[in-house]
Structures are given as structure tokens and as C-alpha cells.
Amino acid sequence: MTHSSNLIGVVARSLSDKRTTMSRTDVSVILKLAWATNLVIASCLMTGVRAELYTCLADMEELMETEGLLMRTLDGYIQAQEEKLHILKRHAADYAREHEEASQDIQGYLSNPINAYLLVKRLTTDWKEVETQMVDDVGKVFVQNITKFRDILKFPSDEDLNGAAVALTRLQDTYKLDTASVARGELNGVQYSTELSAGDCFELGRQSYNNGDFYHTVLWMNEALQRYEEEYNKTTAKSDILEYLAFSTYKQGNVHRALKLTNELLEIVPTHQRALGNKVYYLQDIEKAAKEGQKRGDDGTGSVLSDQVRVSVAHSTNNIPERDLYEMHCRLEQVMSPATASKLKCRYTDRGNPFLRLARVKEEVAYLKPLILIYHDVIYDAEIETIKKLSIPRFKRATVQNSKTGELETANYRISKSAWLRDEFHPHVSAVNRRVEDITGLTISTAEELQVVNYGIGGHYEPHFDFARKEEGNAFKSLGTGNRIATFLFYMSDVSQGGATVFPQINVALRPEKGAAAFWYNLHPSGEGDMDTRHAACPVLTGSKWVSNKWLHERGQEFRRPCGLTFDAD
């Protein structure tokens, strides 16, 4: 009985496998054999006679049918295993190709946001797909071995994947990057990486959808659909692309196209439950709009904005919203007027400091009021490397102060990691801090520790003030050193594209230059905040941005920068 039961079990498992090659005749034969075997075994048990198939040629002929069935079943199993291995080999080849390229210049590779996004994706969604293929006993052992090292190795989370995707869409908006160009690995016309697959584009769209960003969902799902049609080895399912694309198109107000895409989805998967439900809803929406249109005397379709184009309205410079102005500066579209630029000078100066008379610094006036100065070659390569090494193990997600509570918290408008370094950590840190005092003439005894910042994928810091406004009464209260009177910002790396420090209110953009530093007063001599010092760190398009800053406070500056008698006294 055991043998026949096993045979029936083989049939059941084969039928449940969509890839089986068994025909109805095969099933009929094997079930007949199982039934006949049951009868023979039962008879043998009752009579004590042993069945011996080899003694009858007719019985042996039936065994040929059995062998044929087993061969077809084995071939089906082998085919299924080969398909699984083909998927795993494709992933392995992708991993090997990208890893080899990255190993040649790791920093250069990861300074490209497309490569950085793809690395995070490979270690999250792609690796999950690999694990689903490694479900046999051998595969489980390998997966378990990797799991043991998760506490030692760094594995990105789903949140990291979402952050990387959001960063790419932020860069896309800020620098007006064409979706198709980014998918080709181009940033501002420069080829930086391999092309994105349909699956890569789909994941960008899916992450945008999860964030409720239907605009970018449509952009990336359209690109995924186009690339799907061109791919030989499909990296995602067309039905999945159409599902996200249809609903996001509807959320953007284009119900007719949403219906068309849904119908296309139902041609592929006629029983798709969500698509069937959405189709009914879309038809009702169209019918309702048609009735309302008849009352208004039109066709009810209304005017629909293109999925690919955002409407931009021409503004005069004075009326441009701050966000748009900030992004224009990041793209370096706004330039200073010739009249203003003609008043700016460069010079060697000792700032009245006896020590600097022996080694004057290169001072460039970037703006007059508020006074923004650039000092060139004031932090050296050896110091930069030391500061980086000290900072990396101390890095934490950069925070901002809550304007009401004064507590530090993370925010989506500041994407970077930072560390704080004290003088006693290394002589190089002490030397850099001392140099700030020599150049500015302000005491550093009440200053904050040296803050070191590294910006990640699309890292940025939206427009903000360094000083605390009157309504932020709890800001810096724990320090007991008053408000931030001035900012000294060191640039510790060059940046290939993006990453400028911009002052939208006064039309100033400072490009990062390794070894240089920017300096400005946040407060008027009266102690009132200078609203024109509102500034931002533009997203890093390509490259790695390292900066360190020293925030100088009011306390101790009474005789170094005396108070003015008027609100905006210089």
C-alpha cells in the first residue's frame, strides 16, 4: 500500500506544479496502476502469495508506461530547477558586474546617486527575491549562515531603500532631470552608471506610491513600462506596472487613461480583483462627470494635465516662492547682477591678528550686506583626513532643534550625518578651532564643538537660519552662551555637481571648494537676527560633500564685537 500511496502523492504534487508536463493520459495511467497495485498487494496479503511482475511479459510492458511517466515527471522537475538556477545565476552576474566596477573606485562609484540607489535595492528587494529561490535544504543553510552575520554586517532596511528612492526623485525635481535620462544613467548630460532595468524603475515608482507621491509614481511606472517592452530577460511583471500606473494616473485626475490602462491589465489578468473593482469605480466616475458636463453644456471630460509635465508659471524674481528660488540657485540659474559683483574684492589680509601677519589669508568678498566672506586654503589635507577618520565612528543622523521645545530631532528637510569633535580628540582639531579664532577675531571659548557633516544620497538642508528667532526661547538655553552670533563653514571636499550653499534672499550661491571656508554674521551688532542670512545646502547631485562648521556664540564677544545702537548697525 505504501508504494501506491507514494505514486498517488507524486501525481498530486505534479498537478499542483504549474510547470508539470503531465497529460491527462499520464494521470489516467498512473491512477490505474495505483489502483491495480492496491488490488495485487491486497490479494497477496490475503493469500500470502508474492507478486512477481517479471514473470509475465504483459506486466513488463506496463512498466514501460510507468518509466515513461517517471521520466516526464523528472524532466519537469529538472526544468523547474534549471529555471530557478537561471534566475539565481542572473542575480549573481548582476552582483558580480556591479561589485567589480565598484571595487575599482568605491568612493567614486557611490558618489553617483544612481549607483547608490541600485546598491541599496540589490541588498533589499533583489536579495529577498534570491532568498525565495533558495528554499531547498541546501539553500536554507546558506541563508541561515548569512542571517548569523546580520548583527556584524551592515544590511540596509526598507526605510533605507525608501530614502534612497526619495533622494533620487528630489534630485530629479531640484535639477530638472529628465526621467528617461536618469534611467539611462545620465545626470545633467554626463553618463555616470549603467542603465536602470524595468524592475529598477518599477521599484522607484513603487516607493513613490508608498509615499503618496503619485506624480513621480506615474513618471517611473511609465519608464518601467517602456523598458519592460524592450527587455529580453524581464525584470518585473507588466501587470504589476499597469496596476500602479493606472491607479496613480487616476489620482492625478486622468480617469480616462486610468480606465484604458486598467482594461489593458485585465487583458493580461482577467480575474484581477482590484482591477475589476477599480474599473467599476472609474466607469461610475466617468458617467457622473458626463452628467455634470451635460448640465454645464460640455462633454464632461474637462481638461487634463499631462502626466509628464508640471505647469510652471512665469514670475518676476521678487515674486518667486522661496522653494523655487532655492532650487533655481541650486541649478545656478540665478546670477548676481554686474553692478553688485563689481563691488566685490579679493585680497590678502591679516584681519588685524599679529599671528596672521606672518601668514596672511586669502579673503574673497562674496557679498557686502550681509557680509559674506570666503577664505581659501585655510584647512589642509592632513587635517581633513584626520577629522574624517575621527568623525566616521561618531556619525549620527543630523538633527534640528524643535522651535517650541528646543529638543533635537531628525527632519526630512535635513538629510545628512554629523559628528561633534572636541579639541582634545586630536591636535588637528585644536589647530582648526584656533584658526577660526585667528581669522574671525571672535573667541571660541563659548563656541560649540566642531561639527562635521557628510551628506548622503541627494543629501541636503533646506532653507533655514543658524540663529534662534525670538519665538524660539528654548533654543541654546542649555548652553548658556546666548545666540549664534556667527557661522564659520569649512569645505572639506570638492563636489562634482550640486551641493552649493545658497542664500536665496540675496541671490548668492557658494560652490564647495576643498580647503576653503565661508564666514558670515548671523546677528546684527544690536543682537537682532539678520533675516538675509537664511541659507540652504543644495542636494548633492554627484560627488561626496564633507563640511565642518564652527558656530560662535554671543557670550564673550562683548569687547570683540561691540553692540550697535540701532537695529541693523554694522
Side-chain angles (χ1 to χ4, degrees):
M1 296 290 288
T2 303
H3 296 294
S4 61
S5 298
N6 289 342
L7 202 56
I8 294 172
V10 169
V11 176
R13 286 191 295 274
S14 298
L15 290 175
S16 65
D17 190 341
K18 297 179 181 178
R19 294 167 293 203
T20 184
T21 58
M22 294 176 62
S23 64
R24 291 184 178 274
T25 303
D26 295 331
V27 174
S28 177
V29 169
I30 197 168
L31 290 177
K32 285 180 182 178
L33 286 172
W35 177 76
T37 303
N38 276 335
L39 290 180
V40 172
I41 293 176
S43 177
C44 290
L45 289 174
M46 292 173 62
T47 61
V49 178
R50 234 179 126 184
E52 296 177 348
L53 293 176
Y54 70 90
T55 60
C56 177
L57 186 59
D59 290 339
M60 295 293 287
E61 289 176 355
E62 290 188 4
L63 290 183
M64 293 297 294
E65 295 182 9
T66 302
E67 185 178 48
L69 172 61
L70 294 179
M71 287 170 58
R72 288 189 290 274
T73 302
L74 182 59
D75 285 341
Y77 174 78
I78 292 172
Q79 182 180 351
Q81 292 297 320
E82 286 179 341
E83 290 177 2
K84 183 187 297 183
L85 285 174
H86 174 72
I87 294 173
L88 291 173
K89 286 181 178 179
R90 189 182 70 200
H91 280 294
D94 290 341
Y95 281 121
R97 183 185 65 253
E98 293 297 327
H99 190 78
E100 175 64 25
E101 181 182 344
S103 298
Q104 296 175 9
D105 180 10
I106 294 177
Q107 289 187 352
Y109 180 87
L110 294 178
S111 65
N112 172 3
I114 299 175
N115 287 339
Y117 158 73
L118 290 176
L119 175 61
V120 175
K121 178 178 176 289
R122 288 198 300 274
L123 296 178
T124 49
T125 56
D126 290 359
W127 181 251
K128 288 176 183 177
E129 184 181 347
V130 169
E131 287 188 344
T132 60
Q133 302 296 327
M134 300 170 68
V135 293
D136 55 25
D137 291 339
V138 176
K140 286 180 180 179
V141 172
F142 282 95
V143 173
Q144 289 172 357
N145 287 339
I146 294 173
T147 304
K148 293 178 182 178
F149 293 101
R150 283 189 177 270
D151 293 335
I152 302 173
L153 301 173
K154 287 187 177 180
F155 276 82
S157 64
D158 290 338
E159 184 182 354
D160 291 317
L161 177 61
N162 183 262
V166 169
L168 263 185
T169 57
R170 182 189 307 123
L171 292 172
Q172 190 178 2
D173 288 345
T174 302
Y175 295 102
K176 291 187 176 180
L177 304 176
D178 176 64
T179 305
S181 297
V182 176
R184 290 194 300 269
E186 296 178 8
L187 298 175
N188 275 347
V190 181
Q191 186 74 40
Y192 282 101
S193 68
T194 55
E195 295 193 11
L196 301 183
S197 67
D200 297 330
C201 296
F202 171 80
E203 187 60 36
L204 277 168
R206 191 178 74 88
Q207 293 295 333
S208 297
Y209 178 87
N210 291 341
N211 294 328
D213 179 0
F214 301 111
Y215 169 74
H216 286 106
T217 303
V218 169
L219 288 181
W220 284 105
M221 288 301 173
N222 273 325
E223 188 64 30
L225 189 60
Q226 181 175 340
R227 289 181 172 270
Y228 171 88
E229 302 295 346
E230 299 170 354
E231 280 184 346
Y232 176 74
N233 291 318
K234 304 301 183 185
T235 55
T236 190
K238 185 176 182 178
S239 57
D240 290 340
I241 298 173
L242 289 171
E243 181 181 1
Y244 280 94
L245 180 57
F247 187 72
S248 298
T249 299
Y250 167 75
K251 293 295 287 185
Q252 281 201 302
N254 196 338
V255 65
H256 289 278
R257 184 162 186 258
L259 178 61
K260 179 181 178 181
L261 292 166
T262 301
N263 286 332
E264 189 176 348
L265 168 57
L266 288 171
E267 289 178 6
I268 302 173
V269 188
T271 58
H272 198 291
Q273 292 301 309
R274 282 190 298 274
L276 290 169
N278 287 342
K279 181 176 180 178
V280 173
Y281 187 78
Y282 298 157
L283 289 171
Q284 292 174 347
D285 209 10
I286 291 173
E287 182 180 358
K288 180 180 177 181
K291 290 179 180 178
E292 292 177 352
Q294 290 174 357
K295 294 179 181 179
R296 295 192 304 268
D298 57 40
D299 60 2
T301 59
S303 60
V304 180
L305 296 178
S306 165
D307 297 323
Q308 300 288 340
V309 181
R310 278 180 170 173
V311 176
S312 60
V313 181
H315 296 278
S316 66
T317 303
N318 294 333
N319 295 326
I320 297 177
E322 182 185 58
R323 175 75 192 191
D324 294 338
L325 190 59
Y326 151 63
E327 292 183 350
M328 291 172 68
H329 279 292
C330 291
R331 297 190 296 270
L332 303 179
E333 293 176 356
Q334 292 290 98
V335 295
M336 189 179 297
S337 69
T340 302
S342 65
K343 299 176 183 178
L344 307 181
K345 308 294 182 182
C346 295
R347 54 181 171 255
Y348 282 97
T349 181
D350 57 25
R351 298 286 294 172
N353 184 292
F355 174 75
L356 291 183
R357 289 179 183 175
L358 301 175
R360 293 183 297 171
V361 292
K362 304 171 186 175
E363 182 182 81
E364 175 186 348
V365 179
Y367 204 73
L368 288 172
K369 190 175 182 181
L371 182 64
I372 301 175
L373 302 171
I374 304 293
Y375 293 98
H376 298 273
D377 303 321
V378 290
I379 184 170
Y380 312 117
D381 288 348
E383 295 170 336
I384 289 172
E385 292 308 311
T386 297
I387 290 172
K388 286 182 178 181
K389 289 178 182 178
L390 291 172
S391 301
I392 290 174
R394 296 176 170 85
F395 268 149
K396 293 181 180 179
R397 171 77 181 269
T399 57
V400 296
Q401 273 198 325
N402 185 297
S403 59
K404 295 181 179 179
T405 65
E407 297 295 323
L408 296 177
E409 59 188 19
T410 60
N412 289 331
Y413 59 84
R414 188 182 191 187
I415 305 298
S416 61
K417 281 196 171 184
S418 64
W420 299 86
L421 304 181
R422 297 195 298 270
D423 277 1
E424 55 267 30
F425 285 177
H426 197 278
H428 282 162
V429 179
S430 177
V432 167
N433 284 331
R434 178 65 185 179
R435 198 169 300 133
V436 172
E437 184 167 276
D438 289 337
I439 293 174
T440 64
L442 300 174
T443 181
I444 61 170
S445 62
T446 56
E448 296 175 46
E449 296 171 358
L450 186 70
Q451 187 193 44
V452 184
V453 181
N454 181 225
Y455 291 86
I457 309 172
H460 71 132
Y461 193 178
E462 292 184 2
H464 62 281
F465 298 104
D466 279 353
F467 65 89
R469 273 73 68 213
K470 288 183 178 180
E471 62 271 19
E472 299 173 330
N474 291 320
F476 316 127
K477 186 176 182 179
S478 61
L479 298 178
T481 54
N483 211 342
R484 287 174 175 166
I485 191 173
T487 297
F488 201 93
L489 175 64
F490 289 101
Y491 294 109
M492 301 197 301
S493 66
D494 295 312
V495 179
S496 302
Q497 294 192 67
T501 305
V502 300
F503 296 76
Q505 306 299 324
I506 56 176
N507 203 24
V508 172
L510 310 178
R511 292 289 302 274
E513 177 190 323
K514 186 178 181 182
F519 171 69
W520 65 87
Y521 283 103
N522 297 305
L523 307 179
H524 292 292
S526 63
E528 296 290 335
D530 189 337
M531 307 305 287
D532 285 339
T533 62
R534 186 170 173 83
H535 61 286
C538 294
V540 178
L541 184 54
T542 58
S544 178
K545 183 180 178 181
W546 284 82
V547 299
S548 58
N549 55 70
K550 196 72 175 174
W551 280 309
L552 305 162
H553 283 248
E554 292 177 293
R555 192 68 53 82
Q557 316 296 354
E558 293 84 354
F559 297 105
R560 296 177 181 241
R561 194 198 189 209
C563 294
L565 299 178
T566 60
F567 169 80
D568 60 349
D570 292 329

